């Protein structure tokens, strides 16, 4: 199997996932309980064998919107009387849509929910025999030192102690996995934002992302049910984070980056800031404006995917 270096995008041979569980080969069946799909229950290769891109975000509505957005960008037409179907509609935990070689799924809130989805989707794509995959997380976040509506491309995810490490506890031992994002992919996304003159419409920046375990104390808010620090201490910490290159906070990037780095597959994290945490803890933008903010990452990631698909078809 060829080696893939996430930092120079060097392929010597097509790969799927590195470090994959060796026990999977001996399983007679493998049922993905949270997706209501399975190795023996579905023809995974026929359903998903052509997948090249996996796009994930917190809510099902956002992923459904992005699926429709990409359908229009790629010029795909759905026959009269048919519609984009939620592949996992039997379950109410996650939603999944497919448009050509793009798979869309919502991961819920936080690393545990994301970890479950990533495990089952990665196994699904492994059994389907997919190759040359690129994963994206499209999300919302709290900005640090950036104005609301700014799109942030993550360089690396860090924990609450600013360590670029995803920590898992397995059989009573701590496992540490790296969380740096793909450097070439970051450059490609920034270049696209320049070429499309996206920065004339809204700001696009890149930097470190702090991944917290919760929405309140873990993100230094003073409006949660518990808070034993002052406003000044909160601001001092956020400013310290900003000085260390942190430009946003959310709750999924560590798991996303840690798992996909370990699998040695290409991935990017693109989020939009709903507020500047140096100014406020509560989101005060209107519902209409928030919905518009949420679609801003679509333009950059959508154009990246469109170019890759068009180049492959030429």
């Amino acid at each position: 199997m060829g080696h893939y270096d996430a930092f120079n995008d060097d392929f010597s041979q097509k790969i799927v996932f590195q470090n994959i569980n060796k026990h999977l080969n001996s399983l007679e069946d493998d049922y993905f309980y949270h997706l209501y799909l399975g190795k023996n229950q579905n023809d995974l290769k026929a359903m998903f064998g052509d997948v090249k891109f996996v796009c994930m975000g917190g809510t099902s509505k956002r992923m459904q919107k992005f699926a429709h957005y990409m359908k229009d960008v790629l010029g795909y037409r759905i026959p009269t009387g048919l519609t984009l179907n939620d592949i996992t509609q039997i379950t109410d935990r996650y939603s999944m849509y497919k448009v050509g070689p793009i798979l869309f799924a919502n991961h819920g809130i936080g690393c545990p929910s994301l970890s479950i989805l990533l495990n089952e989707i990665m196994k699904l794509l492994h059994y389907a025999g997919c190759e040359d995959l690129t994963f994206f997380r499209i999300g919302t976040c709290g900005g640090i030192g950036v104005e609301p509506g700014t799109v942030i491309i993550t360089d690396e995810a860090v924990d609450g102690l600013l360590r670029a490490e995803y920590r898992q506890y397995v059989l009573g031992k701590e496992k540490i996995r790296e969380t740096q994002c793909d450097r070439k992919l970051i450059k490609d996304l920034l270049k696209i934002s320049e070429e499309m003159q996206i920065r004339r419409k809204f700001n696009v920046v890149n930097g470190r992302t702090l991944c917290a375990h919760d929405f309140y104390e873990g993100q230094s808010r003073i409006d949660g049910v518990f808070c034993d620090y002052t406003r000044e201490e909160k601001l001092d910490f956020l400013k310290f984070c900003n000085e260390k290159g942190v430009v946003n906070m959310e709750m999924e990037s560590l798991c996303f980056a840690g798992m996909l780095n370990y699998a040695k597959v290409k991935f990017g994290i693109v989020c939009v800031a709903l507020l500047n945490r140096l100014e406020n803890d509560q989101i005060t933008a209107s519902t209409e404006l928030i919905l518009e903010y949420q679609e801003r990452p679509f333009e950059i990631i959508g154009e990246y995917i469109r170019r890759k698909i068009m180049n492959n078809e030429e």
Side-chain angles (χ1 to χ4, degrees):
M1 184 173 286
H3 174 67
Y4 171 53
D5 183 346
F7 299 122
N8 62 29
D9 200 37
D10 178 36
F11 276 101
S12 58
Q13 185 179 338
K14 290 183 178 180
I15 63 169
V16 186
F17 300 116
Q18 300 275 3
N19 295 312
I20 195 146
N21 177 7
K22 62 183 179 182
H23 299 295
L24 295 182
N25 293 331
S26 62
L27 296 179
E28 293 184 7
D29 193 11
D30 194 356
Y31 187 64
F32 317 134
Y33 169 73
H34 303 88
L35 301 178
Y36 274 52
L37 296 168
K39 178 180 176 182
N40 292 344
Q41 291 77 13
N42 305 94
D43 187 344
L44 298 179
K45 187 167 184 62
M47 294 172 68
F48 303 105
D50 63 337
V51 169
K52 296 293 183 184
F53 304 95
V54 181
C55 299
M56 296 182 173
T59 72
S60 58
K61 286 185 178 179
R62 189 185 312 148
M63 289 300 95
Q64 184 184 39
K65 273 190 174 182
F66 193 28
H68 280 281
Y69 176 90
M70 288 308 302
K71 170 184 68 69
D72 295 338
V73 165
L74 296 172
Y76 292 168
R77 298 186 64 182
I78 297 176
T80 302
L82 299 179
T83 186
L84 272 179
N85 185 49
D86 181 357
I87 301 167
T88 60
Q89 60 184 324
I90 299 176
T91 176
D92 57 1
R93 295 182 184 273
Y94 302 106
S95 294
M96 186 188 297
Y97 300 89
K98 187 174 182 295
V99 174
I102 316 167
L103 192 63
F104 306 84
N106 77 296
H107 54 58
I109 298 177
C111 287
S113 179
L114 171 63
S115 172
I116 292 168
L117 182 69
L118 264 179
N119 263 279
E120 297 191 3
I121 281 188
M122 289 170 74
K123 288 198 298 177
L124 180 156
L125 298 174
H126 166 69
Y127 292 133
C130 297
E131 297 177 322
D132 297 344
L133 291 162
T134 302
F135 283 69
F136 288 103
R137 168 169 141 67
I138 301 129
T140 58
C141 64
I144 303 178
V146 298
E147 65 182 50
T150 299
V151 170
I152 297 160
I153 301 171
T154 298
D155 289 333
E156 66 178 4
V158 299
D159 65 12
L161 298 179
L162 305 189
R163 300 173 298 189
E165 299 170 344
Y166 174 52
R167 293 168 182 265
Q168 277 279 74
Y169 301 99
V170 181
L171 300 181
K173 298 178 182 179
E174 185 177 62
K175 300 284 186 178
I176 298 176
R177 289 162 186 168
E178 297 180 350
T179 58
Q180 292 85 4
C181 297
D182 187 290
R183 292 178 181 175
K184 185 177 185 304
L185 182 54
I186 293 168
K187 289 181 181 179
D188 289 345
L189 296 174
L190 289 170
K191 183 179 179 182
I192 284 172
S193 71
E194 293 284 358
E195 292 175 353
M196 295 180 67
Q197 298 184 338
I198 285 174
R199 296 189 189 205
R200 291 189 178 184
K201 296 185 287 183
F202 51 82
N203 294 328
V204 180
V205 302
N206 61 296
R208 304 174 90 194
T209 296
L210 191 155
C211 179
H213 291 308
D214 78 310
F215 189 78
Y216 290 98
E217 286 183 292
Q219 296 191 44
S220 310
R221 283 184 156 84
I222 60 169
D223 58 348
V225 69
F226 302 117
C227 180
D228 58 4
Y229 44 86
T230 66
R231 290 176 183 269
E232 291 72 25
E233 288 173 326
K234 180 200 86 166
L235 283 174
D236 286 345
F237 177 69
L238 293 179
K239 289 176 181 177
F240 172 76
C241 289
N242 196 226
E243 290 169 0
K244 296 297 183 180
V246 175
V247 290
N248 63 328
M249 284 181 169
E250 41 85 277
M251 293 181 283
E252 293 85 19
S253 57
L254 270 179
C255 175
F256 193 79
M259 289 184 66
L260 292 172
N261 255 320
Y262 191 59
K264 301 198 185 306
V265 71
K266 187 187 297 186
F267 69 92
I269 302 171
V270 183
C271 295
V272 64
L274 300 183
L275 74 166
N276 181 357
R277 289 296 316 288
L278 295 178
E279 298 176 354
N280 204 349
D281 281 349
Q282 298 210 344
I283 299 167
T284 57
S286 68
T287 301
E288 292 75 20
L289 188 55
I290 289 173
L291 291 174
E292 190 270 317
Y293 284 169
Q294 289 180 1
E295 295 184 11
R296 289 182 175 183
F298 293 3
E299 295 188 45
I300 301 172
I301 295 175
E303 178 62 14
Y304 175 88
I305 293 175
R306 187 195 70 82
R307 293 183 184 187
K308 290 293 184 180
I309 291 175
M310 293 301 106
N311 289 340
N312 189 57
E313 291 179 351
E314 288 178 356

